[in-house]
Amino acid sequence: MIKQIVLFDIGGVFVTLRTLLMLLSLGLYAFVCLKNAQKQGVKPQKAATALICGFVGMVLLSKIAYILMDKNAPNNPLISGEMTFFGIAGFLAGIRLYCFKSPAAFKRLMKLLAPPLFALTALLYLFKDITAGKPANLGIFAYTDLYGVKRANVPLIQFLSLALLMLAAYLLSKLIKKPKFRVRLLPMTLCAVSLLLPAEILRDSTQITILGLNAEAFFMWLSTNTLLISWLIFKIKKDNMPIINVFIVPVLPLLSVLSHSFILSFIMLTLPVFAALSPLFPFVKSGREKRRHRRRSFS
């Protein structure tokens, strides 16, 4: 949560503390990725080009989303304003376009770029504008505005959610040795989006609404279901389960999000995700065991 503190201006362009911290976070992320590139067998030039494509996609998609979806956005490509979710999506889209002809190259790059991306996302959410919180009494997760109204500190909630998720993944990777716990991109992203979305409905946004949700929250919900379906299909194919299990994808979370209840939305969004990621999926019932063919011996 960083206030809009203007540090200096260059030719009429004001540079704020929040903008400077976001730029420093992007620079630190690029430094970490380039430093780890050689360790993972990726050429620094290729990693740098992928980062440039990702950052260009981040800027373009976040600006396009802001212009199209914010009611008060002026029709000017140089305007300020932010949509962090679309920025991260644009970053991934830019890298995918860079590796358009080679899905294998995209996977190799994501092994390099994805792990620190969660830390970058957490920082970007922390540096979002604080003026968007709805009136709420959330203790340390609320702040008092200029009029003395307690408002939800949405950026802090989202930052801490991602920080705790990264901490849990790190601890599990260190504690669970047999079988080795691996931090995979798809389930990690699924968990991250399911944790970000409940807090998003606490944002007092000027965005257009889709099905009763502000635009960013709606596309987060859509992405959550898309990622969950992808993960369930992967597990069904891997564990030889009936394809009908894909219909475990929740319908109730949409109703809970539309109710604009943070607690209800958190429960209804995270429980199906954790159930799908747990060894108990689906409902403490393993897939059909493959028959072992015994070798016939002849005497």
Side-chain angles (χ1 to χ4, degrees):
M1 182 183 76
I2 303 297
K3 295 181 179 180
Q4 287 281 23
I5 301 175
V6 178
L7 299 177
F8 54 87
D9 68 284
I10 304 176
V13 178
F14 294 95
V15 178
T16 65
L17 176 61
R18 185 166 59 88
T19 302
L20 183 61
L21 289 174
M22 293 179 77
L23 291 175
L24 288 175
S25 300
L26 293 172
L28 180 61
Y29 170 74
F31 174 78
V32 171
C33 290
L34 293 176
K35 193 161 183 67
N36 292 334
Q38 289 182 331
K39 296 180 181 179
Q40 299 190 22
V42 179
K43 294 181 179 179
Q45 296 85 352
K46 188 171 184 179
T49 305
L51 283 170
I52 292 173
C53 292
F55 288 148
V56 170
M58 175 182 287
V59 173
L60 288 178
L61 191 56
S62 60
K63 289 296 182 183
I64 291 173
Y66 179 68
I67 293 172
L68 295 179
M69 298 180 185
D70 196 294
K71 298 174 184 178
N72 299 329
N75 189 15
N76 183 348
L78 298 179
I79 49 147
S80 60
E82 56 189 345
M83 288 222 177
T84 307
F85 175 75
F86 290 100
I88 298 300
F91 179 81
L92 297 174
I95 297 174
R96 186 65 186 92
L97 287 176
Y98 171 66
C99 305
F100 184 74
K101 295 183 179 180
S102 178
F106 176 72
K107 290 182 179 179
R108 285 196 300 270
L109 281 173
M110 289 314 299
K111 288 181 179 180
L112 169 68
L113 303 177
L117 181 61
F118 289 95
L120 173 64
T121 304
L123 289 176
L124 293 180
Y125 270 100
L126 180 63
F127 298 147
K128 280 180 75 79
D129 194 351
I130 67 169
T131 60
K134 290 182 178 179
N137 185 14
L138 295 175
I140 62 173
F141 299 107
Y143 69 97
T144 305
D145 65 8
L146 296 175
Y147 302 98
V149 178
K150 283 282 188 179
R151 294 186 173 273
N153 192 337
V154 181
L156 181 60
I157 296 173
Q158 294 175 320
F159 165 76
L160 288 178
S161 298
L162 291 178
L164 290 175
L165 175 62
M166 290 185 292
L167 177 62
Y170 174 77
L171 292 177
L172 288 172
S173 65
K174 294 298 182 181
L175 296 176
I176 301 179
K177 300 296 183 180
K178 294 181 180 181
K180 176 68 175 176
F181 178 86
R182 299 184 183 277
V183 182
R184 294 183 179 180
L185 179 60
L186 178 57
M188 188 74 170
T189 305
L190 174 59
C191 274
V193 178
S194 69
L195 291 173
L196 289 172
L197 175 54
E200 196 65 32
I201 64 176
L202 294 175
R203 195 179 298 281
D204 189 8
S205 176
T206 60
Q207 299 168 17
I208 63 172
T209 57
I210 305 173
L211 296 181
L213 289 173
N214 67 64
E216 197 160 1
F218 173 79
F219 282 101
M220 276 190 181
W221 172 81
L222 197 63
S223 299
T224 302
N225 283 277
T226 302
L227 292 169
L228 186 53
I229 291 173
S230 301
W231 176 253
L232 290 176
I233 290 176
F234 168 76
K235 290 290 290 182
I236 287 167
K237 290 181 178 180
K238 180 182 178 182
D239 298 335
N240 197 25
M241 296 177 184
I243 196 68
I244 196 172
N245 283 324
V246 78
F247 293 104
I248 295 175
V249 175
V251 177
L252 290 178
L254 176 59
L255 300 178
S256 63
V257 173
L258 287 175
S259 72
H260 294 278
S261 169
F262 171 74
I263 297 177
L264 181 61
S265 299
F266 178 81
I267 294 173
M268 297 305 296
L269 279 161
T270 55
L271 282 184
V273 169
F274 293 154
L277 296 177
S278 75
L280 301 180
F281 170 82
F283 303 123
V284 202
K285 181 181 178 182
S286 61
R288 296 188 299 269
E289 295 183 0
K290 295 182 180 179
R291 295 179 179 178
R292 295 180 180 179
H293 296 280
R294 295 181 179 180
R295 292 183 178 181
R296 300 175 65 182
S297 58
F298 299 90
S299 57

